[in-house]
Amino acid sequence: MNIKVLHLYHDILNLYGDYGNVVILKKHIEDQGNTVTLEKKSIGEEYDPNNYNFVYIGAGTERGLDRVLKDIKLHKEQFKKFIDDRKYILATGNSFEMFGKKIEEEEALNIFDYEVQRDKDRKTSDIIYSSEYLKGKVVGFVNKSTRVYHNMNPFFKVEFGIGENEKNDYEGVKYKNFYGTHISGPILARNPELLQTLVLGMCKDLSRDFKPKKIDYTNEQRGYELVLEELTKRAEGK
Amino acid sequence: MEKEVACHGKIALKIDKNILKKVVLPDDIIVVTGSNGKTSTVEMICNTLEANGYKVGCNREGSNQTEGVTTMILNNCNLKGEVKKDILVIESDERYLRHTLKHFRPKYLVVTNLYRDQMTRNGHPELIYDIIKEAITDDIHLILNADDPLTSMYGYKRENVTYFGMDKNNLSVMKNESAYDDGVYCPNCKEPLEYSYYHYNHIGDFECKNCGHKRMKPEYAVTDLNLNNSEMVINNKYKISMNLRSVYMAYNMLATFAVTRLIGLKDDKIVEALNNYIMKNDRVQKFELNGKHGMLLTSKHENSISYNQSLLYITRENNPCTVVIIVDAVSRKYFTSETSWLWDIDFELLKHDCVKKVVLAGKYVHDLVTRFEYSGIDMKKVKATEDLDDMMDEVKENSVGSIYVVTCFSDRMKFMSRR
């Protein structure tokens, strides 16, 4: 089948090599015997997320995000429907903040009920997270200036490094097929299981006859294991 | 080593945090900050001043945080607390500038550029912009890169500022085809920027039709650049031969020209000092390996423009070659496993006829391979290994043509010591 992927705000929310997520996602969807139409849209361009099967949004500077917020708010109802329809969306870095009620005093998309507070200091950290949706752990890096407080279903639990705020050990949001996390950069390139889970999940949702193919991702797997090993050593204080 | 150097300043600041206010400083103090080119620019400013009879105090290749700068200044004092130099030239870390400048005021501040650099510590360039801004007061004369939209914002509606920049030349391009473009939106108002040409990445001739932020006409400009015969021309008049053929080197030389000119040096004397200048810092090193010519191009991990500079250099030299890239320790100063920055580097540049073979190595080789798989480079040319001894065997036995080693301070000895 043909799967339509939208890389949103690709030229402004692109701070940490985020486009890597899209190219590797495309490759893995194709590996499962599909074709992929990849489109990029940004500020001022017409789009409706509902015309796509998968939407990806990456991280930006605070000023960049504020600018995008004005644009994305024009699509509020479209995103509500998209998320309600259980379509797939991955928002990494600070982009997932836009789906909450407010960023500081600025009204956001208000699809979820979280509030975002910005601090002057930057919070950066290598991380290991676990998730009830994955067997293995997720590795990566968080680079942000915010705290988010919510009572929603978190995407991750913090095993090492920083999480959403100083009070809890959760991180990110998962609601239907909305996946939001502050992990920055090409997290799909670094976490083969997370990538496979999203790709296979979407393919199954789109076609009842879908039969997953086993593909050799030795290089990505070995890269992941090495990082997990390094970070586990750090976590254990070695 | 760096820790040891910074030690005096650390102790001195502990005993008296205002110690530098008690020191008699020379009138002329130049501070150089920015993401890339600080060390090279400082070295050339010092050399130019010394060649013209100045006694210069400088933290050349030195510690560039507050303690290191304090050490350097105290080491240049006599017992009465007077600095026995005509002029101080100080490299400052971007993040520490606001702390360092609490202790003294420079007459001149050079900002070379602001790029994506060490973002695991720096966050991103706009944050660094804000942090440097905290240190800038009205009394400082700014010397700014006119071609960098973010850096040049410091000069917005300011009088005591001098711009340097590069005019359009035969290396300029009409499109930015890099992995990312930090010049799509105006750093001032976030509406679209328009470019009439680019030199590299987002460095070029820009204008914002919304707020009016644009490239200011530089007082000091590279009016012609010819890398084939290693020559640059400043202000249509001053020809300088370059020992290292790179656009980045031309910018560093230009910044040096601007600041030493403002100090009062004569044009021809500056040109004489810069002509064929060979950098003493060891970022570029030549070597021989099994009868083959090699060159180490030290490139900063976590800094895509620094890498691009090396990759462009290789392709512009256009000799049949093997390129070795090592990512084993991301930093020598701190730990991180973060490799997102690999996606910001234009490895696509290596899709070039002169590149016959690529050797990737180190702990993060798998991240490199994943990135390379999407670069369009023929993976049959690429050999990858975690093991650094294997890497060396591969280079010794199977390299083709000249050898270029592209890696960071943290990893370069892992190659050089195995030769």
Side-chain angles (χ1 to χ4, degrees), chain A residues 11 14-16 19 24 27 42 61-63 67 120 124 126 141 143 186 190 219 222 230 234, chain B residues 116 119-120 123-124 126-127 130 134 185 191 335-340 343 363 366-367 370 374 386:
Chain A
D11 60 359
N14 63 353
L15 196 50
Y16 302 104
Y19 76 95
I24 200 158
K27 167 79 165 39
S42 195
T61 68
E62 288 67 31
R63 286 168 214 158
R67 178 66 190 87
K120 206 167 182 292
T124 63
D126 288 277
F141 197 89
N143 196 338
R190 269 211 152 174
N219 178 64
R222 179 72 186 135
E230 277 302 310
R234 296 280 145 176
Chain B
R116 298 184 179 193
M119 298 212 286
T120 52
H124 55 70
E126 287 179 1
L127 287 175
D130 292 348
E134 285 177 31
Y185 298 95
E191 291 305 316
F335 172 82
T336 180
S337 260
E338 163 71 341
T339 55
S340 294
W343 292 85
K363 180 167 281 158
H366 304 282
D367 294 346
T370 304
Y374 297 94
E386 280 167 41

Side-chain angles (χ1 to χ4, degrees), chain B residues 62-287:
Chain B
S63 314
N64 64 5
Q65 302 181 354
T66 310
E67 289 159 1
V69 172
T70 305
T71 304
M72 185 277 283
I73 294 176
L74 294 179
N75 283 344
N76 279 304
C77 276
N78 64 11
L79 288 171
K80 283 188 267 178
E82 299 160 346
V83 170
K84 304 311 283 176
K85 300 286 181 189
D86 303 320
I87 190 163
L88 294 176
V89 183
I90 296 166
E91 172 186 332
S92 174
D93 177 276
E94 307 89 279
R95 284 171 305 141
Y96 283 82
L97 186 71
R98 58 187 165 158
H99 304 306
T100 307
L101 294 199
K102 278 182 192 146
H103 301 279
F104 63 89
R105 311 302 309 159
K107 194 163 176 183
Y108 299 104
L109 175 66
V110 182
V111 189
T112 55
N113 47 57
L114 291 171
Y115 301 146
R116 298 184 179 193
D117 171 46
Q118 284 195 323
M119 298 212 286
T120 52
R121 306 176 102 193
N122 290 341
H124 55 70
E126 287 179 1
L127 287 175
I128 297 300
Y129 174 87
D130 292 348
I131 286 174
I132 290 178
K133 199 165 183 187
E134 285 177 31
I136 295 179
T137 45
D138 292 341
D139 55 328
I140 302 174
H141 190 102
L142 299 181
I143 298 159
L144 303 175
N145 186 338
D147 303 341
D148 178 0
L150 189 55
T151 302
S152 67
M153 279 218 324
Y154 293 126
Y156 197 70
K157 294 192 174 157
R158 188 184 174 103
E159 277 177 19
N160 49 347
V161 54
T162 301
Y163 292 98
F164 62 91
M166 190 178 287
D167 290 349
K168 192 175 181 183
N169 57 45
N170 59 7
L171 293 169
S172 310
V173 291
M174 304 312 286
K175 251 179 113 177
N176 178 353
E177 285 174 340
S178 282
Y180 68 93
D181 183 352
D182 276 343
V184 176
Y185 298 95
C186 174
N188 188 43
C189 69
K190 290 291 170 195
E191 291 305 316
L193 268 189
E194 289 175 25
Y195 276 78
S196 63
Y197 60 84
Y198 300 84
H199 291 304
Y200 60 88
N201 290 71
H202 55 284
I203 302 304
D205 180 19
F206 60 89
E207 180 173 6
C208 175
K209 292 272 161 66
N210 183 55
C211 74
H213 178 45
K214 63 173 183 183
R215 177 186 192 250
M216 301 300 281
K217 194 170 163 30
E219 196 174 324
Y220 298 96
V222 172
T223 45
D224 197 17
L225 177 67
N226 190 334
L227 291 186
N228 291 329
N229 60 12
S230 310
E231 197 175 79
M232 64 186 264
V233 180
I234 294 178
N235 290 2
N236 290 311
K237 195 167 168 194
Y238 306 105
K239 266 188 201 170
I240 299 173
S241 291
M242 299 163 73
N243 189 266
L244 190 70
R245 288 195 275 227
S246 94
V247 175
Y248 309 82
M249 187 66 181
Y251 269 101
N252 296 340
M253 284 188 153
L254 178 65
T256 302
F257 191 96
V259 71
T260 52
R261 186 72 182 67
L262 284 168
I263 290 287
L265 263 53
K266 295 223 160 49
D267 300 328
D268 52 340
K269 292 285 175 190
I270 302 171
V271 172
E272 209 177 294
L274 287 176
N275 230 345
N276 286 313
Y277 183 73
I278 299 170
M279 297 303 302
K280 289 184 191 72
N281 69 47
D282 58 354
R283 297 188 173 188
V284 175
Q285 289 177 37
K286 288 181 181 168
F287 61 86

Side-chain angles (χ1 to χ4, degrees), chain B residues 9-23:
Chain B
K10 191 175 182 179
I11 294 165
L13 285 167
K14 228 174 218 161
I15 295 167
D16 182 351
K17 65 179 183 346
N18 292 318
I19 192 151
L20 286 186
K21 292 205 176 114
K22 293 170 185 161
V23 168

Side-chain angles (χ1 to χ4, degrees), chain B residues 30 32 38-61 72 87-91 252 255-257 259-260 263 265 273-274 277 279-280:
Chain B
I30 302 165
V32 179
K38 293 188 286 288
T39 306
S40 298
T41 304
V42 162
E43 186 186 314
M44 285 192 287
I45 294 171
C46 289
N47 178 70
T48 306
L49 291 167
E50 280 167 352
N52 283 278
Y54 282 75
K55 279 192 275 174
V56 184
C58 176
N59 57 343
R60 229 178 288 226
E61 275 281 354
M72 185 277 283
I87 190 163
L88 294 176
V89 183
I90 296 166
E91 172 186 332
N252 296 340
T256 302
F257 191 96
V259 71
T260 52
I263 290 287
L265 263 53
L274 287 176
Y277 183 73
M279 297 303 302
K280 289 184 191 72

